[in-house]
Amino acid sequence: MTKKLISRYQGNPILTKDDIPYPVQTVHNAGVTKFDGRYMMLFRSHLDTGRSIIGLAESEDGFNFTACPEPFIVPSKEPRFCEYEEYGVEDPRITPLEGAYYITYSTYSRYGVRTGLAKTSDFQSLERVALITEADYRNTILFPEKINGRYVRLDRPHTEINPWSIWISYSPDLRHWGDSSLIIKPIAYHWDQAKIGPGAPPIRTNKGWLNIYHGVFPTMDGHVYRLGVALHKLDDPAEILGVADRWILQPEDPWEVVGYVHNVVFTCGAVPEDDGTLKLYWGGVDKVICAGTAVIDELVDLCLNDSRPAT
Ligand code: BMA
């Protein structure tokens, strides 16, 4: 039997809609970070309009979360943003960067899906910075530090011509982005053949940046979402040191197999710990939030020792 690299938390799912003090239909796809010794989680919820908002929950141990009384991000009323957030805000990722916490999230509107960038320093107030992509981009994640003097991000544009792939871009100021290139593609007849997208913001390891991404396989019974790992060179993250051939997590528990969208595990966040492990968070079937742990070195070794081509 292949070794399981992710140990599921015994108390999964760790958050469901019954834990939320305002009316929502789902809780899923959560970004998580450590702030002031606590774990802060931003999670997506569907409302009964079918549109999404983003809530906040807090935890002492990274597994037992308490949701805050009000949502944290709802569609903006500010003129610069409201037109592009009209249909909702989704899939937040949190990146600690230069003393603040930057949040990338998907903004939906009649024009398509873009990426919003917002910022908080206290998880109480929120400042929207900019819309940093045009349509149609999703799954934008920031690296937690500047590399060679520039901010760096991964994202996943949509196109009819190529299976949806992971791209890299750079910025001098977090607002203006360019020098983009495709760096990881789905592989034909492989678990991620339909499309891939960045998941958790990259984690620095001594061998490279660890990127936990999602990959999708089409079946006669719909798409299956799984998670995989890739390793990017520390001082040049456009260079891929390895993409693990096999997935690290697939839908297995009942709340990952049957639900709002069947057979989905989807990550927006992982928290590295001082002991060399990480806590990984994923949405199950677009309905609940689950957690697990992994040994960072084992994920890095999988990228390096059992690799498939990046493009
Ligand atoms: C993707 C996004 C995610 C979602 C996943 C599975 O396209 O919409 O938010 O979790 O599909 O439905």
Side-chain angles (χ1 to χ4, degrees):
M1 204 172 90
T2 34
K3 180 172 164 47
K4 286 215 177 206
L5 295 169
I6 308 294
S7 306
R8 285 174 166 83
Y9 176 62
Q10 291 296 321
N12 278 345
I14 60 167
L15 208 67
T16 74
K17 68 174 187 166
D18 299 335
D19 302 315
I20 311 304
Y22 43 89
V24 294
Q25 298 300 315
T26 63
V27 296
H28 58 119
N29 298 3
V32 184
T33 193
K34 268 195 186 163
F35 166 70
D36 229 359
R38 297 170 67 74
Y39 295 79
M40 308 303 279
M41 170 187 281
L42 292 174
F43 60 90
R44 171 178 170 195
S45 285
H46 285 101
L47 302 173
D48 56 13
T49 56
R51 295 181 178 174
S52 294
I53 58 170
I54 293 170
L56 173 65
E58 295 186 28
S59 168
E60 299 284 342
D61 65 359
F63 297 113
N64 295 285
F65 280 86
T66 304
C68 298
E70 303 289 336
F72 194 65
I73 311 180
V74 297
S76 179
K77 302 230 177 330
E78 289 177 57
R80 272 191 307 154
F81 299 98
C82 64
E83 211 180 346
Y84 294 101
E85 297 190 4
E86 178 193 11
Y87 291 177
V89 289
E90 304 187 358
D91 296 1
R93 274 88 172 183
I94 311 171
T95 303
L97 178 62
E98 297 174 344
Y101 295 85
Y102 284 88
I103 300 151
T104 50
Y105 59 101
S106 301
T107 74
Y108 276 78
S109 74
R110 64 190 69 193
Y111 307 112
V113 52
R114 303 182 65 181
T115 302
L117 177 67
K119 181 182 178 182
T120 184
S121 51
D122 54 10
F123 286 92
Q124 291 184 11
S125 60
L126 183 79
E127 177 197 336
R128 278 175 170 80
V129 177
L131 289 157
I132 57 170
T133 67
E134 46 196 276
D136 268 312
Y137 288 76
R138 223 174 20 219
N139 304 312
T140 304
I141 60 177
L142 296 179
F143 283 72
E145 59 190 72
K146 275 183 166 172
I147 301 172
N148 299 319
R150 295 192 292 179
Y151 299 101
V152 188
R153 81 172 192 217
L154 304 178
D155 61 35
R156 206 284 309 286
H158 303 180
T159 164
E160 294 302 316
I161 297 171
N162 182 54
W164 299 359
S165 304
I166 296 178
W167 289 63
I168 194 165
S169 299
Y170 303 88
S171 171
D173 58 5
L174 288 170
R175 290 167 182 267
H176 304 92
W177 292 87
D179 272 353
S180 308
S181 59
L182 185 160
I183 53 171
I184 311 176
K185 261 184 87 152
I187 293 277
Y189 216 74
H190 192 253
W191 66 268
D192 65 3
Q193 80 162 28
K195 54 179 176 172
I196 59 175
I203 292 171
R204 179 186 253 284
T205 76
N206 54 14
K207 292 189 181 155
W209 292 104
L210 183 68
N211 165 15
I212 305 176
Y213 69 96
H214 69 263
V216 181
F217 190 82
T219 76
M220 295 301 286
D221 190 27
H223 286 86
V224 179
Y225 278 71
R226 301 185 173 96
L227 303 182
V229 274
L231 197 69
H232 303 235
K233 196 171 172 199
L234 280 180
D235 58 0
D236 180 11
E239 190 176 319
I240 304 301
L241 304 175
V243 185
D245 192 43
R246 66 178 176 94
W247 66 72
I248 59 161
L249 190 79
Q250 69 159 349
E252 283 174 14
D253 275 337
W255 45 84
E256 299 165 346
V257 172
V258 179
Y260 182 57
V261 183
H262 296 178
N263 288 310
V264 173
V265 292
F266 190 96
T267 189
C268 292
V271 176
E273 303 287 4
D274 293 340
D275 65 359
T277 64
L278 59 76
K279 290 190 177 64
L280 179 65
Y281 299 89
W282 62 92
V285 292
D286 286 1
K287 204 173 162 194
V288 299
I289 297 171
C290 303
T293 56
V295 176
I296 293 174
D297 280 349
E298 291 183 359
L299 300 178
V300 168
D301 288 348
L302 189 73
C303 296
L304 294 173
N305 301 333
D306 184 13
S307 193
R308 55 85 152 175
T311 54

